[in-house]
Amino acid sequence: MGHDHSHDTSGKNLKLAFFLNLGFTILEFIGGIYVNSVAIVSDAVHDLGDSLSLGTSWYLDKKSKQESSSTFSFGYRRFSLLGALINSLVLIGGSIYVIYEAVGRLFEPEHSDADGMIIFAIIGVAVNGYAAYKLSGGKTMNEKVVSWHLLEDVLGWVAVLVVAIILKFEDIHYLDPALSLLITMYILWNVVKRLKETLFIFLQGVPKEIDLEEIKRRLLKIDKVDSMHHTHVWSLEGEHHVFTAHIKLKYITEFREILAAKRAVKDILKEYSFEHYTIETELDNETCELTHD
């Protein structure tokens, strides 16, 4: 069985992002109503959903670090993947709400306080930009989806800042909802892609960075290896992968030959940094009980 004992800071980064987002959400509600900006109010509602998702992600990330148990024999790593799924769904729902609000403001434009918008936009870019930076190097699918949450907020606040500066000189009311609409649709497109990746992992698809056919070819070249069957690769949460296979051996006359073949198989699998790998060896005169053909 292979193990990867690397330690990351995903929990700390998610905790930081959660408290930054929650604090700024409260400030957004107050400021958005004060400056009469639909972009800020809509983003506040969106950020409230983000805060709930970030809190959930933080909890599930901590849960995913727990050791395996009799209930979850592989451990709790897939709880982190659950956080990614929840975040994606919340982000899609929030994006739809922002689009609805922006379209409504296009038909019924209102005047906004440009000076107040500039101040909030600068704070918004700084706060969300810092949180997005802290999570930008995350390897788990959970961290990647959360980083898209924060990137959406950064781009949204850049849009608000641009609109506010223009409104200082030209009172073009539709710019606020129009830019918010474009940014939200762009982020929504990316989140849908992330959701597809998350569902792919949930359905135990072969990780894209793993070439299963290449592994099979290398293993079949090992001396005494005749064939392989029941070969499977899947991912726990997008970062840590699992490999299992039945390997049929040939021309075995001594027990040490079995050990040598198993050693050669493990040496190859170690190159792929699997979290777990399980190999069952079968002799050429054995019939696999799991083979139905």
Side-chain angles (χ1 to χ4, degrees), residues 131-155:
Y133 167 75
K134 294 294 289 183
L135 286 171
S136 61
K139 295 182 179 180
T140 67
M141 186 58 64
N142 192 17
E143 289 177 284
K144 291 177 182 178
V145 173
V146 170
S147 69
W148 270 109
H149 271 248
L150 300 170
L151 178 59
E152 179 196 37
D153 293 332
V154 172
L155 294 177

Short mmCIF file of all heavy atoms in Angstrom, two decimals, residues 131-155:
data_model
loop_
_atom_site.label_atom_id
_atom_site.label_comp_id
_atom_site.label_asym_id
_atom_site.label_seq_id
_atom_site.Cartn_x
_atom_site.Cartn_y
_atom_site.Cartn_z
N ALA A 131 -7.36 36.85 -0.47
CA ALA A 131 -7.88 35.51 -0.18
C ALA A 131 -7.71 34.59 -1.39
O ALA A 131 -7.36 33.42 -1.25
CB ALA A 131 -9.35 35.60 0.21
N ALA A 132 -7.97 35.12 -2.60
CA ALA A 132 -7.81 34.31 -3.81
C ALA A 132 -6.35 33.91 -4.01
O ALA A 132 -6.05 32.80 -4.43
CB ALA A 132 -8.30 35.09 -5.03
N TYR A 133 -5.45 34.83 -3.69
CA TYR A 133 -4.01 34.53 -3.81
C TYR A 133 -3.61 33.39 -2.87
O TYR A 133 -2.83 32.51 -3.24
CB TYR A 133 -3.20 35.78 -3.49
CG TYR A 133 -1.73 35.52 -3.28
CD1 TYR A 133 -0.89 35.25 -4.35
CD2 TYR A 133 -1.19 35.53 -1.99
CE1 TYR A 133 0.46 35.00 -4.16
CE2 TYR A 133 0.16 35.28 -1.79
CZ TYR A 133 0.98 35.01 -2.87
OH TYR A 133 2.31 34.75 -2.67
N LYS A 134 -4.14 33.39 -1.65
CA LYS A 134 -3.79 32.37 -0.67
C LYS A 134 -4.26 30.98 -1.12
O LYS A 134 -3.66 29.97 -0.76
CB LYS A 134 -4.41 32.70 0.69
CG LYS A 134 -3.85 33.96 1.34
CD LYS A 134 -2.38 33.79 1.71
CE LYS A 134 -2.19 32.84 2.86
NZ LYS A 134 -0.78 32.73 3.28
N LEU A 135 -5.33 30.93 -1.90
CA LEU A 135 -5.88 29.64 -2.34
C LEU A 135 -5.50 29.29 -3.78
O LEU A 135 -5.85 28.22 -4.26
CB LEU A 135 -7.40 29.65 -2.21
CG LEU A 135 -7.96 29.56 -0.79
CD1 LEU A 135 -9.46 29.80 -0.80
CD2 LEU A 135 -7.65 28.22 -0.16
N SER A 136 -4.79 30.18 -4.45
CA SER A 136 -4.51 29.98 -5.88
C SER A 136 -3.65 28.76 -6.15
O SER A 136 -3.73 28.16 -7.22
CB SER A 136 -3.81 31.22 -6.46
OG SER A 136 -2.57 31.45 -5.79
N GLY A 137 -2.83 28.35 -5.20
CA GLY A 137 -1.96 27.19 -5.41
C GLY A 137 -2.53 25.89 -4.87
O GLY A 137 -1.83 24.89 -4.78
N GLY A 138 -3.81 25.90 -4.50
CA GLY A 138 -4.43 24.70 -3.94
C GLY A 138 -4.47 23.56 -4.93
O GLY A 138 -4.68 23.76 -6.12
N LYS A 139 -4.28 22.34 -4.42
CA LYS A 139 -4.25 21.16 -5.29
C LYS A 139 -5.57 20.40 -5.26
O LYS A 139 -5.91 19.72 -6.23
CB LYS A 139 -3.11 20.23 -4.86
CG LYS A 139 -1.73 20.84 -5.04
CD LYS A 139 -0.65 19.85 -4.64
CE LYS A 139 0.74 20.43 -4.84
NZ LYS A 139 1.80 19.46 -4.44
N THR A 140 -6.32 20.48 -4.17
CA THR A 140 -7.57 19.73 -4.10
C THR A 140 -8.64 20.42 -4.92
O THR A 140 -8.60 21.64 -5.14
CB THR A 140 -8.06 19.58 -2.64
OG1 THR A 140 -8.43 20.88 -2.15
CG2 THR A 140 -6.97 19.01 -1.75
N MET A 141 -9.63 19.64 -5.37
CA MET A 141 -10.73 20.22 -6.14
C MET A 141 -11.51 21.22 -5.29
O MET A 141 -12.01 22.23 -5.80
CB MET A 141 -11.67 19.09 -6.61
CG MET A 141 -12.78 19.58 -7.54
SD MET A 141 -12.15 20.39 -9.02
CE MET A 141 -11.29 19.01 -9.81
N ASN A 142 -11.60 20.98 -4.00
CA ASN A 142 -12.27 21.90 -3.09
C ASN A 142 -11.63 23.28 -3.15
O ASN A 142 -12.30 24.30 -3.32
CB ASN A 142 -12.22 21.34 -1.67
CG ASN A 142 -13.14 22.09 -0.73
OD1 ASN A 142 -14.03 22.82 -1.15
ND2 ASN A 142 -12.93 21.94 0.56
N GLU A 143 -10.29 23.33 -3.01
CA GLU A 143 -9.58 24.61 -3.04
C GLU A 143 -9.71 25.29 -4.39
O GLU A 143 -9.82 26.51 -4.48
CB GLU A 143 -8.11 24.40 -2.71
CG GLU A 143 -7.84 24.04 -1.26
CD GLU A 143 -6.37 23.77 -1.02
OE1 GLU A 143 -5.88 22.70 -1.40
OE2 GLU A 143 -5.70 24.66 -0.45
N LYS A 144 -9.69 24.51 -5.46
CA LYS A 144 -9.80 25.10 -6.80
C LYS A 144 -11.15 25.78 -7.00
O LYS A 144 -11.24 26.87 -7.55
CB LYS A 144 -9.59 24.01 -7.86
CG LYS A 144 -8.17 23.48 -7.92
CD LYS A 144 -8.05 22.35 -8.94
CE LYS A 144 -6.64 21.78 -8.98
NZ LYS A 144 -6.52 20.66 -9.94
N VAL A 145 -12.21 25.10 -6.55
CA VAL A 145 -13.55 25.69 -6.70
C VAL A 145 -13.69 26.93 -5.83
O VAL A 145 -14.25 27.94 -6.25
CB VAL A 145 -14.64 24.65 -6.35
CG1 VAL A 145 -16.01 25.30 -6.34
CG2 VAL A 145 -14.61 23.51 -7.36
N VAL A 146 -13.17 26.87 -4.60
CA VAL A 146 -13.22 28.03 -3.71
C VAL A 146 -12.45 29.20 -4.31
O VAL A 146 -12.87 30.35 -4.22
CB VAL A 146 -12.67 27.68 -2.31
CG1 VAL A 146 -12.49 28.93 -1.48
CG2 VAL A 146 -13.61 26.73 -1.60
N SER A 147 -11.31 28.91 -4.94
CA SER A 147 -10.53 29.99 -5.55
C SER A 147 -11.33 30.68 -6.66
O SER A 147 -11.19 31.88 -6.89
CB SER A 147 -9.21 29.45 -6.11
OG SER A 147 -9.42 28.62 -7.24
N TRP A 148 -12.20 29.91 -7.34
CA TRP A 148 -13.06 30.53 -8.35
C TRP A 148 -14.11 31.41 -7.70
O TRP A 148 -14.50 32.44 -8.26
CB TRP A 148 -13.72 29.45 -9.21
CG TRP A 148 -12.89 29.10 -10.40
CD1 TRP A 148 -12.20 27.94 -10.61
CD2 TRP A 148 -12.61 29.93 -11.53
NE1 TRP A 148 -11.51 28.01 -11.79
CE2 TRP A 148 -11.75 29.21 -12.38
CE3 TRP A 148 -13.00 31.22 -11.89
CZ2 TRP A 148 -11.28 29.73 -13.58
CZ3 TRP A 148 -12.53 31.73 -13.09
CH2 TRP A 148 -11.69 31.00 -13.92
N HIS A 149 -14.59 31.03 -6.54
CA HIS A 149 -15.47 31.92 -5.78
C HIS A 149 -14.81 33.28 -5.61
O HIS A 149 -15.39 34.32 -5.89
CB HIS A 149 -15.69 31.32 -4.38
CG HIS A 149 -16.86 30.40 -4.28
ND1 HIS A 149 -17.98 30.70 -3.58
CD2 HIS A 149 -17.07 29.17 -4.79
CE1 HIS A 149 -18.84 29.70 -3.64
NE2 HIS A 149 -18.29 28.74 -4.37
N LEU A 150 -13.59 33.23 -5.11
CA LEU A 150 -12.89 34.47 -4.77
C LEU A 150 -12.46 35.23 -6.01
O LEU A 150 -12.46 36.46 -6.02
CB LEU A 150 -11.68 34.13 -3.88
CG LEU A 150 -12.06 33.43 -2.58
CD1 LEU A 150 -10.82 32.91 -1.87
CD2 LEU A 150 -12.84 34.37 -1.66
N LEU A 151 -12.08 34.52 -7.06
CA LEU A 151 -11.72 35.19 -8.30
C LEU A 151 -12.91 35.92 -8.88
O LEU A 151 -12.79 37.02 -9.42
CB LEU A 151 -11.18 34.17 -9.31
CG LEU A 151 -10.79 34.74 -10.68
CD1 LEU A 151 -9.71 35.80 -10.53
CD2 LEU A 151 -10.33 33.63 -11.61
N GLU A 152 -14.09 35.29 -8.77
CA GLU A 152 -15.30 35.96 -9.24
C GLU A 152 -15.49 37.28 -8.51
O GLU A 152 -15.83 38.30 -9.12
CB GLU A 152 -16.51 35.07 -9.03
CG GLU A 152 -17.80 35.75 -9.50
CD GLU A 152 -19.04 35.08 -8.98
OE1 GLU A 152 -19.00 34.62 -7.83
OE2 GLU A 152 -20.04 35.03 -9.70
N ASP A 153 -15.28 37.26 -7.20
CA ASP A 153 -15.44 38.48 -6.42
C ASP A 153 -14.42 39.55 -6.82
O ASP A 153 -14.74 40.73 -6.89
CB ASP A 153 -15.32 38.18 -4.92
CG ASP A 153 -16.47 37.33 -4.42
OD1 ASP A 153 -17.57 37.43 -5.02
OD2 ASP A 153 -16.29 36.58 -3.46
N VAL A 154 -13.17 39.13 -7.06
CA VAL A 154 -12.14 40.08 -7.47
C VAL A 154 -12.53 40.74 -8.79
O VAL A 154 -12.50 41.98 -8.93
CB VAL A 154 -10.77 39.39 -7.62
CG1 VAL A 154 -9.75 40.34 -8.24
CG2 VAL A 154 -10.27 38.92 -6.26
N LEU A 155 -12.90 39.92 -9.78
CA LEU A 155 -13.27 40.47 -11.08
C LEU A 155 -14.54 41.33 -10.98
O LEU A 155 -14.67 42.35 -11.67
CB LEU A 155 -13.49 39.33 -12.08
CG LEU A 155 -12.25 38.50 -12.42
CD1 LEU A 155 -12.61 37.36 -13.36
CD2 LEU A 155 -11.17 39.38 -13.04
#
